[in-house]
Amino acid sequence: MPGKGLSAYELVEAIHRGEIKGLLSICFNPIVSLPNNNMVREALEKLEYYVAIDFFLNDTARHADVVLAGALHEEEEGTGTTAEGRVVKINPVVTPPGDARTDASIIIELAHRLGAGDKFPYKKSEDIFNELRVASKGGTADYFGITYEKIVKNYGVFWPCPSLDHPGTPRLWEDRKFATADGKAHFNPAPYRPPSEPTDKDYPVVLTTGRVVSQYLSGTQTRRIGRLVDPYPEPLLEIHPSLAQQYGIKDREIVKVKTRRGEAEFPAQVVTTIRKDTVFIPYHWAGPKSANQLTIGTLDPISKMPEFKVCACQLIPTGVQAPPSSESKAYQSA
Amino acid sequence: MASEPVKNFNQEMEFFVDMQRCIGCRACEAACAECETNGEEPMIHVNYVDRAHSVQTTVQVCMHCEDPACANVCPADAIAKDSNGVVHSANTSLCIGCSNCVMACPFGVPKKMEAAELMMKCNLCYDRTSIGKKPMCATVCPSGALYFGPREEIQKKRPHSTPVNTFKFGNQTVNTKVYVMMPNGSTELRVH
Ligand code: SF4
Ligand code: SF4
């Protein structure tokens, strides 16, 4: 297996520092999905060459030199591994439209054109899977004993599956042998670490971000589907009535939210379902509606997950009532 | 108006709606909208109960009333109840889009589809239930808010709830083919 690379946010920071000059990305929309995205935009503008592969033109791809049309899950053959560790087969039901191609075929052709074709000798998706089997042999998630044939026959095989005659492991640790020095299960208490940006008198309110049920990730797919846009067409600022009253904020009044990294305006949604010291904004939208203009780029030292859930902000009521939610603007990105 | 009962409609299979179990995923709306007979519009509706104070959602299907107000107020006789007790969506060749049914239904079910100039509502997936299949929404609901099956089974699964199909709207009593699950001991649901 190749060694660890940089996590997504660290990679963008390295671009910003000028250490990385070229980028090839697949289904990557950091201008919506990463925190502190004013920095992300600056980084993208510094890239000397950027190739974006995605099945729809996402907001980040606007910064690319070349955009290559990739394929959806429904157009590709391969495997997926579910959250329970079950490796399942994925079969194409339709072919990619127009000049769009499967991501693997794009990568293989690029490799050939760049003179590295010998390292990408794959004829079919199974050849790639077989390489993963060998690469993961002996590891925690051992795929060696999993073959396409076995997956199809058993409706999925669970890792670890170390040998061809191994049935797979639907439940881990049933043998009560744990991968620790003494073979026992360990509880790992996580020491509390305060957020990197506590509230203070200039930025007195906690800002937390997250999702709404009708949108998915950076919205590349779901902001294009009317029925998913209708239930929640634009990001709202959830605020508790007592905090709203303190600032004189009324329901659907436009509020400017400001942090040390950026500012943006959102209509208020006054609800008692949120803490009195915290406001919430969902992050699925791009451009002026993007909540990640405000969030902080501090990473968890182990998981490298950014602190999307807590930073300090200021609320500035504008006194202007927002017009009714408009679905037509949902895909607007700049 | 009642036609011969469709033989394959399994009267043992009944519809039980357990509104407090709804998690607002809208899978039911998506499944309903897959159907071409609805013009790809959902005929089931998920709403917040009171978003200012709760994230609880609730789900509304046509209750298939014994004496359907929607059909009673229809000036064009476009809405018919069949002998299986299913109240059908407006007959498209008769419906004049007057919206009387929209106003009359005590459960807020029929919706006027402005683009089509027609009323459209849930018909209990008649194309499916008439051949012994479950309505689409009940096949996808992950939380058991929508359950279509034998009564004994739901009673076994939900020992603390009882199915109720009598609703009191002021002095008006409405009995329905579809049940809602209520705490044990309940016999009717009163709306004040
Ligand atoms: S619930 Fe409404 S639409 Fe359904 S049968 Fe009763 S009155 Fe008609
Ligand atoms: S599928 Fe079930 S849980 Fe989801 S919205 Fe519909 S009724 Fe509620």
Side-chain angles (χ1 to χ4, degrees), chain B residues 3 9 13 22 32 34 57 67 71 96 110 119 131 138 142 147 150 152 166 175 178 180:
Chain B
S3 52
F9 194 99
M13 304 274 276
C22 177
C32 186
E34 288 280 301
T57 51
D67 185 19
I96 54 170
M119 171 283 253
I131 55 166
Y147 174 86
E152 310 83 69
T166 300
N175 291 310
V178 176
V180 294

Side-chain angles (χ1 to χ4, degrees), chain A residues 86-115:
Chain A
R86 187 201 301 248
V87 183
V88 294
K89 185 75 198 308
I90 290 164
N91 298 313
V93 285
V94 282
T95 47
D99 292 333
R101 294 165 51 168
T102 66
D103 299 353
S105 78
I106 295 174
I107 300 286
I108 291 168
E109 184 169 339
L110 279 177
H112 276 93
R113 291 207 197 178
L114 294 170

Side-chain angles (χ1 to χ4, degrees), chain A residues 50-131:
Chain A
Y50 176 24
V51 181
I53 305 177
D54 210 330
F55 39 70
F56 295 125
L57 189 70
N58 72 35
D59 314 278
T60 303
R62 289 164 184 271
H63 295 263
D65 298 287
V66 176
V67 178
L68 299 173
L72 284 160
H73 173 279
E74 294 78 2
E75 297 161 345
E76 291 244 35
E77 193 204 12
T79 64
T81 304
T82 68
E84 53 174 358
R86 187 201 301 248
V87 183
V88 294
K89 185 75 198 308
I90 290 164
N91 298 313
V93 285
V94 282
T95 47
D99 292 333
R101 294 165 51 168
T102 66
D103 299 353
S105 78
I106 295 174
I107 300 286
I108 291 168
E109 184 169 339
L110 279 177
H112 276 93
R113 291 207 197 178
L114 294 170
D118 57 322
K119 302 196 174 57
F120 292 78
Y122 317 108
K123 293 270 167 308
K124 49 189 191 313
S125 82
E126 192 172 0
D127 298 341
I128 303 174
F129 185 76
N130 285 338
E131 186 171 308

Side-chain angles (χ1 to χ4, degrees), chain A residues 213-214 227 231-232 238 241 269-273, chain B residues 24-26 33 40-42 51-55:
Chain A
V213 74
S214 47
R227 202 178 308 295
Y232 198 105
E238 280 185 25
Q269 184 183 33
V270 181
V271 289
T272 54
T273 50
Chain B
C25 68
R26 295 177 186 262
E40 298 183 4
E41 288 291 337
R51 182 60 193 92
H53 300 292
S54 162
V55 292

